[in-house]
Amino acid sequence: MADGTLKVGTITTSSGSGTITLGQSGETVDMSNATQTGVGGVNTPSFHVTQSSSQSFANGTTVKITYDTEVYDEGSGFNTSNNNFTVPAGEAGKYLFYIQTQGIFCDSSTEFCNISLYVNDTQTKFTRHNKDAVATDSAFSHTSVVDLSAGDVVDARLYHSQGSTRSNDNDARVTYFLGYKLIG
């Protein structure tokens, strides 16, 4: 058919299996008026976890942040008993992670707070925060994309140089850890 509309219920290959190609290289297939399913993939596995109680962080010590409440855990990769996300079998790829907590972890210009992403017990990425004389709760966060293999173990950690043991705010709106596999 040169120009016109093709109306069918099902399109299959003549052999019953294989690849069906719509259009040719350089052409645009317009599906803007159609309901599209199974196109583009999904961002799973994914998780979002929070804390139900505040956690203490000793000065000058890197401490794993504990998360005991799952908001969701698609793919069952997060374990609240050890605060780790483990990449499930068959799910290697690039992942985005976001870590946030709130507290008074640096209240002078010489103090700082690191929020770090660890993979297999090795610090891979971190964000250093330095607040100049802030004596109120402040949010500290870190975002990163990392390439992971099946079985890799990921966790979030905090280090501060405030001078004494400090606690974070366990409000789920400000202390949480989330991650998901990127499509592509």
Side-chain angles (χ1 to χ4, degrees):
M1 163 184 336
D3 290 322
T5 301
L6 173 65
K7 293 184 178 184
V8 298
T10 303
I11 299 174
T12 60
T13 63
S14 57
S15 65
S17 64
T19 301
I20 296 174
T21 303
L22 299 176
Q24 298 175 1
S25 179
E27 294 181 335
T28 300
V29 177
D30 182 2
M31 296 177 61
S32 60
N33 293 321
T35 300
Q36 302 158 23
T37 60
V39 178
V42 293
N43 292 107
T44 56
S46 63
F47 68 92
H48 178 179
V49 291
T50 63
Q51 289 181 324
S52 63
S53 60
S54 295
Q55 179 180 355
S56 294
F57 297 88
N59 176 64
T61 304
T62 301
V63 178
K64 184 186 284 192
I65 305 173
T66 59
Y67 302 97
D68 58 2
T69 304
E70 290 182 344
V71 177
Y72 60 83
D73 185 12
E74 299 296 327
S76 301
F78 198 89
N79 184 336
T80 56
S81 68
N82 61 18
N83 305 293
N84 292 333
F85 170 75
T86 303
V87 178
E91 296 295 348
K94 290 186 178 15
Y95 283 76
L96 181 137
F97 294 96
Y98 182 79
I99 308 160
Q100 181 172 300
T101 193
Q102 181 168 301
I104 303 172
F105 294 109
C106 47
D107 56 8
S108 79
S109 61
T110 60
E111 298 168 352
F112 63 90
C113 172
N114 289 344
I115 302 290
S116 303
L117 185 74
Y118 276 68
V119 177
N120 300 324
D121 283 324
T122 300
Q123 182 185 48
T124 59
K125 309 241 178 164
F126 73 94
T127 300
R128 174 167 286 178
H129 298 273
N130 183 309
K131 304 284 187 186
D132 190 14
V134 176
T136 60
D137 278 359
S138 296
F140 301 93
S141 64
H142 173 73
T143 305
S144 61
V145 173
V146 292
D147 199 6
L148 299 174
S149 300
D152 280 346
V153 177
V154 179
D155 66 83
R157 302 185 193 186
L158 183 143
Y159 174 95
H160 74 88
S161 64
Q162 195 278 339
S164 62
T165 297
R166 307 301 289 182
S167 295
N168 67 341
D169 185 341
N170 67 309
D171 185 329
R173 297 171 295 176
V174 295
T175 295
Y176 54 93
F177 182 27
L178 61 85
Y180 55 89
K181 184 178 178 183
L182 298 172
I183 299 170

